[in-house]
Amino acid sequence: MGVDLESISEATSGAIGSLLSTTILYPLDTCKTKYQAEVQAHGQRKYRNLSDVLWEAVSTGQVLSLYQGLGTKNLQSFIAQFVYFYGYSYFKRLYLENSGSKSIGMKVNLILAAGAGTCTAIVTQPLDTASSRMQTSAFGKSKGLWKTLTEGTLSDAFDGLGISLLLTSNPAIQYTVFDQLKQRLLKQKLKKADHDSSPVVLSAFTAFLLGAMSKSIATFLTYPAIRCKVMIQAADLEDDDDDDKTKRAQSKSRKTVSGVVSAIWRREGILGFFKGLDAQITKTVLSSALLLMIKEKITATTWVLILAIRRSLLLRNGRLKNV
């Protein structure tokens, strides 16, 4: 079937968009993750709202620690978005070619998006776990990527994989809603546009709004699982200076899905499953909206560059054969 240049173009533009949006919003992501990872105990909590995390970094002179784990997060984000967008685009092309259909319905779109998300979760889970541990470590005490990955067993690096697979429904819902809304808007624009005019594309502002809307819907529907995942992957702050093996074993037992669900239910009640929802929506909506906006704007440029590189390689090969 050869190299799918269109899928590579989609993947590259998506990965670049993810890299930029992740970097811009990373301090907010760190505050959000540390806030989500804390479980209220006996009516007391360290962080009562998101701003408390930011104030801790400022008051302790650890503002730069808001960027701890940025390199790992960017690496994970770049690979994840490249794999996801490549898989999503490739699966869509494969389906259209084999089915003979001219369009993809919502149900099929969800299945294809979930398939791409599953591939992404498996490939990037160790990096996802490492970045979460770095972000939830005490400010100024974050470890490097290699040390974070090797301080436990191989299975520890895949903490939260089960929930990550469940959460493939999040981007599946998000991108399906985005694609459906996008296609409807483009069809409306196409009817009004002149056939001899330039190709119809979404404006940056429209892409931003569609990205925000689609991510809000996906985040609300999957948030309880998102919080459980953060708590499973969080660093063991309480045991950093504790050599008691019994306490370490108890801490590990709490990092199962059932253990985390039980802890939230006992200490915070049903509303605890939605603690930090506003912070999650703020961060992920801005991030996803920026990602999709950037992706929409650079996709055409990426496609032209890929075609230019391909043409250059073909010309070079042709010259070598003639020599």
Side-chain angles (χ1 to χ4, degrees):
M1 197 169 177
V3 178
D4 190 344
L5 293 179
E6 185 174 341
S7 295
I8 290 178
S9 174
E10 286 285 315
T12 302
S13 58
I16 293 173
S18 175
L19 188 67
L20 293 174
S21 64
T22 297
T23 302
I24 292 170
L25 298 173
Y26 194 74
L28 175 61
D29 188 35
T30 298
C31 292
K32 182 247 344 159
T33 303
K34 288 179 74 68
Y35 179 63
Q36 288 173 320
E38 183 190 30
V39 179
Q40 180 177 349
H42 308 298
Q44 297 181 347
R45 61 174 59 172
K46 185 177 181 181
Y47 306 123
R48 294 190 175 276
N49 50 61
L50 196 64
S51 61
D52 288 344
V53 186
L54 177 62
W55 175 245
E56 180 189 8
V58 173
S59 61
T60 57
Q62 296 288 343
V63 176
L64 291 180
S65 292
L66 291 171
Y67 290 90
Q68 60 190 26
L70 175 60
T72 299
K73 191 72 171 182
N74 272 336
L75 179 61
Q76 183 264 334
S77 182
F78 186 89
I79 295 174
Q81 293 302 324
F82 187 92
V83 172
Y84 182 85
F85 279 109
Y86 182 87
Y88 186 47
S89 178
Y90 180 80
F91 291 156
K92 285 198 297 184
R93 284 177 61 85
L94 198 62
Y95 173 80
L96 292 173
E97 290 176 3
N98 292 335
S99 66
S101 302
K102 293 184 179 180
S103 61
I104 299 177
M106 182 171 288
K107 290 183 180 179
V108 175
N109 213 338
L110 278 170
I111 294 173
L112 298 181
T118 299
C119 296
T120 303
I122 295 173
V123 170
T124 63
Q125 186 63 36
L127 290 174
D128 187 28
T129 301
S131 65
S132 292
R133 288 177 183 169
M134 290 177 179
Q135 285 184 306
T136 53
S137 296
F139 285 130
K141 295 184 179 180
S142 176
K143 301 172 184 176
L145 173 59
W146 181 249
K147 190 171 184 179
T148 301
L149 285 175
T150 57
E151 64 181 356
T153 63
L154 180 61
S155 62
D156 290 338
F158 286 87
D159 276 347
L161 178 60
I163 293 184
S164 292
L165 294 176
L166 175 63
L167 286 172
T168 57
S169 59
N170 185 293
I173 295 170
Q174 175 195 354
Y175 292 121
T176 298
V177 172
F178 181 84
D179 270 353
Q180 295 299 315
L181 294 175
K182 174 184 172 181
Q183 292 306 320
R184 289 185 181 183
L185 285 178
L186 290 180
K187 283 181 181 179
Q188 293 177 0
K189 285 189 174 184
L190 194 59
K191 290 179 181 178
K192 299 177 181 178
D194 185 358
H195 291 291
D196 296 329
S197 62
S198 58
V200 177
V201 295
L202 293 179
S203 67
F205 182 69
T206 302
F208 183 91
L209 288 181
L210 292 188
M213 186 183 301
S214 60
K215 191 61 179 181
S216 294
I217 294 171
T219 299
F220 178 79
L221 293 175
T222 60
Y223 186 75
I226 291 174
R227 194 189 174 203
C228 288
K229 178 187 172 185
V230 170
M231 291 180 61
I232 288 173
Q233 294 180 325
D236 296 320
L237 297 181
E238 295 178 354
D239 299 326
D240 282 344
D241 299 319
D242 193 352
D243 295 327
D244 188 358
K245 294 183 179 180
T246 302
K247 288 187 177 181
R248 288 181 180 274
Q250 291 174 347
S251 175
K252 185 62 182 175
S253 70
R254 292 196 300 269
K255 286 184 173 290
T256 62
V257 175
S258 59
V260 166
V261 169
S262 176
I264 295 175
W265 178 262
R266 285 186 292 104
R267 298 181 183 181
E268 299 178 338
I270 191 169
L271 293 179
F273 291 100
F274 291 91
K275 176 191 173 185
L277 175 61
D278 53 344
Q280 181 74 29
I281 287 180
T282 300
K283 183 268 169 184
T284 55
V285 164
L286 287 175
S287 177
S288 296
L290 280 172
L291 186 158
L292 291 171
M293 181 181 69
I294 295 169
K295 176 180 175 293
E296 287 294 318
K297 293 292 100 180
I298 66 176
T299 293
T301 303
T302 304
W303 176 244
V304 171
L305 288 175
I306 289 177
L307 289 179
I309 293 172
R310 180 174 179 270
R311 178 181 174 82
S312 176
L313 291 175
L314 289 175
L315 289 174
R316 182 176 298 178
N317 289 337
R319 290 172 183 170
L320 289 175
K321 288 181 181 179
N322 292 332
V323 173

